[in-house]
């Protein structure tokens, strides 16, 4: 009996010590790093983006709209409780990564592919994959090609400063075919090069090519080949050295995915405030313990969903009109790759 009591006492002390350590760690993690410090001092988040319709583009009033833009506004809600404390700046693929390194941006939401060299050599940290993409080819229909290998000997436009340069070279090397690369720096010149016949095809992430297709004068004369030459997991990118900022990015993305899995939308989120599910109560801030533990407004996830919606709503609002299907970007419950770690 004595040994059992002693063991129980030791266990109680261990639990108490563990709880104290957890409290200390939470307090430590709540301390902002250099990026978040700049964001708070500035009063706004600086976001680097591209110019692809559906993903990021100014509307007729000059207001930025798009799939990635909504995630910038969601981050603004998480940090400031306000979707408008964010500044979007278009930057070319050649300029984006150096600008992030130099601190000109707090985050890139420009369709950056996660790669090992960008993580190790450039020191970037990546949030969750927001969009599973792959490199494709946009070609003239009159070429009569059905797959990439049919482009043996073709002239292909490639955007400099992207993973596409190596991907297309690897593809033709592996298949034993040849092609003539035409490196194009200005994104705007891509369409002109294709329409003028300077190149037979252009290659980029398929997300970019679908946007390019809508900008062609005669889009029915062109086709995006169904084949994908690579895997391109697109994720938010930030500079290393600020774990607090990284976790805010991570869980902002996760919140939109988790909300969709639970069936919580911008339209019905208020009804879910009545849910008796303790996980949903913590998620939406009815139970304030989770928000208080991580140092955010307990209703941060509620405010994100109420304002920009869940992942499916964001996708349908910006990408579905362009003909995009969910595919890999479906929830895991629907055969896709998306799911969120637990909110606990």
């Amino acid at each position: 009996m004595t040994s059992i009591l002693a063991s129980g006492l030791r266990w109680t002390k261990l639990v108490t010590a563990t709880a104290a350590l957890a409290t200390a760690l939470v307090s430590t993690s709540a301390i902002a790093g250099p990026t978040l410090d700049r964001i708070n001092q500035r009063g706004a988040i600086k976001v680097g983006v591209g110019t692809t319709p559906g993903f990021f583009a100014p509307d007729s009033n000059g207001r930025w709209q798009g799939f990635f833009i909504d995630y910038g506004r969601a981050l603004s809600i998480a940090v400031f409780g306000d979707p408008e404390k964010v500044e979007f700046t278009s930057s070319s693929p050649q300029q984006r990564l150096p600008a992030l390194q130099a601190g000109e941006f707090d985050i890139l939401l420009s369709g950056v592919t996660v790669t090992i060299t960008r993580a190790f050599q450039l020191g970037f940290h990546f949030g969750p994959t927001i969009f599973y993409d792959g490199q494709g080819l946009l070609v003239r229909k009159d070429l009569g090609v059905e797959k990439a290998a049919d482009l043996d000997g073709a002239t292909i436009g490639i955007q400099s400063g992207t993973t596409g340069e190596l991907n297309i070279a690897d593809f033709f090397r592996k298949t034993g075919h040849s092609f003539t690369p035409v490196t194009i720096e200005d994104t705007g010149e891509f369409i002109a090069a294709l329409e003028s016949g300077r190149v037979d095809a252009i290659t980029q992430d398929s997300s970019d090519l679908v946007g390019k297709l809508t900008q062609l004068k005669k889009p029915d004369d062109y086709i995006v080949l169904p084949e994908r030459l690579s895997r391109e997991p697109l994720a938010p990118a930030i500079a290393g050295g600020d774990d607090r900022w990284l976790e805010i990015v991570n869980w902002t993305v996760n919140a939109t995915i988790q909300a969709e899995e639970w069936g919580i939308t911008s339209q019905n989120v208020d009804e879910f405030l009545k849910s008796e599910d303790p996980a949903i109560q913590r998620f939406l801030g009815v139970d304030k313990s989770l928000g208080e533990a991580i140092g955010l407004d307990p209703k941060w996830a509620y405010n994100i969903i109420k304002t920009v919606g869940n992942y499916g709503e964001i996708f349908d609002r910006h990408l579905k009109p362009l003909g995009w299907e969910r595919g890999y970007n479906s929830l895991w419950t629907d055969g896709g790759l998306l799911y969120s770690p637990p909110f606990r």
Side-chain angles (χ1 to χ4, degrees), residues 260 326-327 330-336:
E260 184 179 12
R326 289 287 294 269
S330 298
L331 295 177
W332 70 280
T333 50
D334 296 325

Side-chain angles (χ1 to χ4, degrees), residues 59-308:
D59 62 18
S60 58
N61 297 316
R63 178 174 169 78
W64 283 93
Q65 303 288 354
F67 178 83
F68 285 107
I69 298 301
D70 276 354
Y71 278 97
R73 295 197 172 107
L75 282 169
S76 181
I77 292 169
V79 175
F80 297 111
D82 184 340
E84 301 304 324
K85 291 190 175 183
V86 57
E87 300 171 2
F88 299 104
T89 302
S90 175
S91 183
S92 71
Q94 300 82 10
Q95 298 169 335
R96 292 169 194 163
L97 298 180
L100 181 61
Q101 282 184 312
E104 295 176 28
F105 298 130
D106 302 314
I107 185 170
L108 290 181
L109 287 170
S110 54
V112 180
T113 300
V114 180
T115 71
I116 190 170
T117 53
R118 287 172 175 174
F120 277 85
Q121 294 183 350
L122 302 181
F124 295 137
H125 289 175
F126 295 94
T129 297
I130 301 182
F131 192 85
Y132 288 92
D133 204 356
Q135 186 170 335
L137 287 153
L138 176 60
V139 305
R140 299 198 317 270
K141 287 182 179 178
D142 61 15
L143 290 179
V145 301
E146 297 180 354
K147 57 185 184 298
D150 294 338
L151 288 168
D152 188 20
T155 300
I156 301 176
I158 306 168
Q159 181 113 49
S160 62
T162 68
T163 55
E165 292 182 275
L166 181 60
N167 290 338
I168 192 72
D170 283 350
F171 173 81
F172 277 93
R173 188 180 300 113
K174 287 187 297 184
T175 57
H177 298 304
S178 65
F179 77 106
T180 301
V182 175
T183 303
I184 300 172
E185 291 192 9
D186 186 351
T187 302
E189 291 183 13
F190 249 49
I191 293 176
L194 186 61
E195 291 184 318
S196 67
R198 180 186 172 195
V199 298
D200 300 309
I202 58 175
T203 184
Q204 280 182 308
D205 290 351
S206 58
S207 54
D208 290 313
L209 295 180
V210 170
K212 293 286 190 300
L213 189 60
T214 65
Q215 297 172 326
L216 291 165
K217 295 175 182 176
K218 296 181 178 180
D220 291 339
D221 291 348
Y222 302 84
I223 185 173
V224 176
L225 297 181
E227 187 176 3
R228 296 293 175 263
L229 309 184
S230 68
R231 290 172 296 175
E232 303 292 330
L234 308 183
I238 68 170
D242 196 330
D243 291 345
R244 173 69 173 167
W245 177 226
L246 176 62
E247 292 304 336
I248 290 175
V249 172
N250 287 340
W251 290 97
T252 294
V253 174
N254 290 336
T256 66
I257 297 170
Q258 182 61 74
E260 184 179 12
E261 183 174 339
W262 276 331
I264 303 174
T265 71
S266 58
Q267 301 301 309
N268 66 18
V269 64
D270 288 325
E271 290 300 313
F272 274 87
L273 294 175
K274 305 171 188 175
S275 172
E276 296 183 0
D277 185 330
I280 293 177
Q281 289 179 347
R282 290 191 297 269
F283 179 73
L284 295 179
V286 176
D287 175 349
K288 298 182 180 180
S289 61
L290 180 62
E292 291 172 348
I294 63 177
L296 294 178
D297 182 336
K299 298 191 73 173
W300 68 277
Y302 165 86
N303 291 330
I304 288 173
I305 305 308
K306 182 72 173 178
T307 305
V308 302

Side-chain angles (χ1 to χ4, degrees), residues 25-37:
L25 288 173
V26 168
S27 298
T28 301
S29 68
I31 299 173
T35 302
L36 199 53
D37 279 342

